[in-house]
Amino acid sequence: MSRREFTKQTKRDALRRSGLLCEAIGAMYGLPAGHRCNAPLSVGVQYDHVVLDANSKDNSLENCAAVCVKCHRWKTSNHDTPMAAKTVRMQDKARGIRTAPVTKMKGPGFPKSPKASRRQAKAPLPPRQLFKPIEETRS
Ligand SMILES: [Zn+2]
């Protein structure tokens, strides 16, 4: 199973499409909305799943962004990991997987801090560890 990997051809195509400039765009990568990073990829390129692969299982070129190390690191530590946990919870909910019975159907929005037991209805997939995460966020 190599669900987390793009094919070599997809990576080649993404790199060609990028023009050797980082394709990261917008807040997902810690950039201003609509702003593309455009950092030169000659110093290092990584291939990012635009839509997190654990959720979409999409390894197509359209879901592959050739990004610089800085952008990839930022997105992985600030976006992908929290999103993965959230998506697992939402998938569980959509599929009727619950650890506790739903006692009330109405109410204003979600609770601020869901109980830990709800989070663990299904263990999230481990984050991709291409590098050691840095301690501080970039903002
Ligand atoms: Zn970048």
Side-chain angles (χ1 to χ4, degrees):
M1 288 194 2
S2 60
R3 62 185 170 73
R4 288 180 172 272
E5 280 303 316
F6 298 111
T7 65
K8 288 179 180 176
Q9 187 59 50
T10 298
K11 292 178 180 179
R12 288 187 204 108
D13 290 345
L15 191 60
R16 187 179 308 126
R17 182 188 60 197
S18 75
L20 297 180
L21 298 175
C22 175
E23 293 189 303
I25 294 179
M28 193 179 282
Y29 295 92
L31 299 164
H35 183 269
R36 176 168 159 169
C37 173
N38 277 329
L41 296 177
S42 51
V43 295
V45 57
Q46 295 185 331
Y47 299 93
D48 185 47
H49 289 82
V50 178
V51 178
L52 183 58
D53 56 330
N55 305 333
S56 68
K57 295 183 172 57
D58 183 354
N59 287 329
S60 69
L61 177 60
E62 287 69 32
N63 197 38
C64 178
V67 299
C68 71
V69 173
K70 198 164 75 168
C71 285
H72 193 229
R73 182 180 298 154
W74 196 96
K75 179 165 179 277
T76 301
S77 59
N78 293 281
H79 185 82
D80 288 355
T81 303
M83 275 295 291
K86 182 182 178 186
T87 301
V88 167
R89 290 200 306 276
M90 293 181 68
Q91 283 178 345
D92 281 352
K93 191 175 180 183
R95 293 167 185 168
I97 300 169
R98 295 190 182 95
T99 54
V102 175
T103 54
K104 57 181 179 179
M105 294 300 290
K106 69 186 180 75
F110 295 98
K112 282 276 195 288
S113 56
K115 290 191 173 101
S117 60
R118 281 191 59 190
R119 287 179 182 273
Q120 289 160 3
K122 183 178 173 187
L125 294 166
R128 180 173 31 184
Q129 286 285 350
L130 295 179
F131 44 78
K132 288 187 184 287
I134 55 172
E135 66 286 356
E136 288 296 344
T137 63
R138 191 182 98 203
S139 61

